Amino acid sequence: MFGKWKKKKAASPIEIKAPLTGKAVPLSEVPDEAFAAGHMGQGIAIEPAEGRLVAPFDGTVAHVIKSKHAVMLEDAQTGLQYLFHIGINTVGLKGEGYTSHVNTGDQVKAGQVLIEFDMEAILNAGYPLITPIIVTNADELASKVEGRTGNVAAGQDVVLNVELKA
């Protein structure tokens, strides 16, 4: 009878740990308008300090881009999908400098290496290494996506807090 006056318990935000070691910066600092303006979705970016991208949570590999410079992971518990895009315009490298350790459909564990990349080769080819981390379906599932900036260690520091819609 009094159920309609009960306060709904707010869901605690989902914390996404850094998939890379480096410096987390706002998406607005990405030198690509599609990412910087949020056209690809909400998120954060990391200037990597080492050439290893790891899974920030247990999930499923939704897609590995053919040129191995990007991967999408899905969190089965929330349905949220994340894009990890190593570098800007790096599709032009056609996979050179990238080694993928996963395939579409693979189940991964937090901390598992997804992609290794040769930072020096990518920089020498003239591409920025900044790596956007995008919640691709945030508009559908999330009420809020908040990034944390500063130095981060892969698998240890939280870079995104995501609140799901009620």
Side-chain angles (χ1 to χ4, degrees), residues 30-116:
V30 175
D32 180 297
E33 183 63 20
F35 288 112
H39 299 304
M40 303 293 290
Q42 300 175 61
I44 193 134
I46 297 177
E47 286 279 4
E50 60 182 37
R52 288 183 42 210
L53 175 79
V54 301
F57 54 84
D58 294 351
T60 303
V61 177
H63 189 64
V64 178
I65 306 300
K66 188 177 176 182
S67 54
K68 300 178 246 173
H69 71 283
V71 63
M72 287 183 72
L73 288 185
E74 182 171 334
D75 180 346
Q77 292 181 355
T78 63
L80 290 169
Q81 289 190 342
Y82 301 85
L83 169 67
F84 307 98
H85 192 284
I86 304 165
I88 300 302
N89 296 322
T90 48
V91 68
L93 291 171
K94 299 182 171 122
E96 287 295 316
Y98 293 91
T99 303
S100 177
H101 295 283
V102 294
N103 295 301
T104 301
D106 286 356
Q107 298 297 310
V108 296
K109 295 286 183 194
Q112 181 177 335
V113 176
L114 303 174
I115 298 173
E116 289 182 291

Side-chain angles (χ1 to χ4, degrees), residues 11-16 75 78 80 82 158 160-164:
S12 53
I14 297 154
E15 294 184 330
I16 304 301
D75 180 346
T78 63
L80 290 169
Y82 301 85
V158 174
L160 285 175
N161 283 313
V162 181
E163 290 181 20
L164 294 176

Side-chain angles (χ1 to χ4, degrees), residues 112-155:
Q112 181 177 335
V113 176
L114 303 174
I115 298 173
E116 289 182 291
F117 52 101
D118 185 335
M119 293 175 57
E120 192 173 318
I122 296 164
L123 288 170
N124 288 340
Y127 296 97
L129 282 171
I130 194 166
T131 301
I133 298 147
I134 306 294
V135 185
T136 60
N137 58 355
D139 289 347
E140 300 163 33
L141 301 177
S143 59
K144 186 177 184 182
V145 176
E146 201 170 62
R148 293 188 188 171
T149 58
N151 292 328
V152 293

